[in-house]
Amino acid sequence: MSNEKRLAGEAAIRYVEEGGIVGVGTGSTVAFFIDALADLKDRIQGAVSSSEQSTAQLKRLGIPVLDLNATGPLSIYVDGADECDPYKRLIKGGGAALTREKIIAAASAKFVCIIDSSKRVELLGKFPLPIEVIPMARSLVGREIVKRGGNPVWRDGVVTDNGNWVIDVHGWQIADPVALEKELNQIPGIVTVGLFAQRPADVVLIGDREM
Ligand code: 5RP
């Protein structure tokens, strides 16, 4: 699988525009993309990063890290996923970077998702759905999830880059990801739902093949 991750990370380079600014996700697949991006560092303005982890790698490789408030809209965002359905709707957040990832995806004209074949599913939900919550809302959100048939498990010990906590929801088979994303977004204390369905990927690369 790590060979497919590397192929996907390298293949995503073909979507990077000369002189542009690249939105960069988080995770082991994205790490291959950042390594490949370093070869182009003199031909891009820089990157907007979705996590402290990716920021550290970008800086280490000499790629300027820019503030999204200063760059405005981006032409491209490259990120991995934990699951991807046939409509390019995703579960993300396995690396707890879902909030900044969703912000950059929303700010980008094209979202290129890079995965290995184990991430391709018919129905989202086998991978527990990550939800970032304000710490004081953890039990409230947990009860709301139980009411909806999910089994919430607190990712104990993990604090996001935004100072929040993560709940992983087990046991949901997500037939309508857009409706569930909208519904969960209404619960007070939820910062970000790891469903990327209202704004799915535009291009999915499984290894170096486009889905
Ligand atoms: C981080 C993410 C990652 O994209 C997702 O977890 C996939 O990671 P990897 O490429 O290591 O399999 O959503 O929050």
Side-chain angles (χ1 to χ4, degrees):
M1 291 306 165
S2 88
N3 191 43
E4 277 190 326
K5 289 184 178 195
R6 184 179 55 75
L7 287 172
E10 291 172 0
I13 288 292
R14 62 177 181 255
Y15 295 90
V16 174
E17 290 169 8
E18 188 94 23
I21 300 172
V22 186
V24 173
T26 298
S28 56
T29 317
V30 166
F32 288 114
F33 173 69
I34 297 174
D35 281 342
L37 194 62
D39 294 337
L40 297 183
K41 68 179 169 205
D42 297 330
R43 290 158 52 197
I44 59 169
Q45 289 183 59
V48 173
S49 171
S50 62
S51 64
E52 300 304 323
Q53 182 188 320
S54 291
T55 296
Q57 187 183 357
L58 288 160
K59 287 187 170 167
R60 198 168 57 245
L61 293 170
I63 300 169
V65 177
L66 308 172
D67 176 359
L68 185 64
N69 291 310
T71 62
L74 304 178
S75 54
I76 181 179
Y77 177 53
V78 177
D79 197 2
D82 300 300
E83 280 187 349
C84 172
D85 82 0
Y87 305 96
K88 303 185 175 76
R89 301 175 301 196
L90 313 170
I91 285 183
K92 291 187 43 56
L98 61 167
T99 295
R100 296 185 190 185
E101 292 173 339
K102 202 174 252 197
I103 291 167
I104 305 177
S108 301
K110 183 175 277 186
F111 177 2
V112 178
C113 183
I114 50 178
I115 56 173
D116 64 66
S117 42
S118 70
K119 309 285 182 70
R120 252 298 271 120
V121 298
E122 289 307 303
L123 199 62
L124 298 173
K126 192 158 182 223
F127 189 92
L129 176 65
I131 298 180
E132 180 166 347
V133 298
I134 300 288
M136 74 169 285
R138 175 175 61 90
S139 58
L140 167 76
V141 171
R143 287 191 295 277
E144 291 298 321
I145 287 166
V146 169
K147 276 187 210 164
R148 291 162 174 81
N151 173 23
V153 177
W154 177 29
R155 210 183 290 178
D156 197 1
V158 171
V159 177
T160 69
D161 288 346
N162 314 302
N164 296 317
W165 291 349
V166 177
I167 292 173
D168 294 304
V169 183
H170 296 247
W172 271 342
Q173 296 233 310
I174 306 174
D176 188 342
V178 172
L180 184 63
E181 185 179 6
K182 283 184 184 164
E183 182 179 344
L184 295 175
N185 278 338
Q186 304 308 312
I187 298 173
I190 287 185
V191 177
T192 301
V193 179
L195 274 171
F196 287 52
Q198 295 183 91
R199 199 279 180 253
D202 299 302
V203 174
V204 175
L205 293 171
I206 306 175
D208 56 3
R209 283 176 303 109
E210 208 174 296
M211 181 175 112

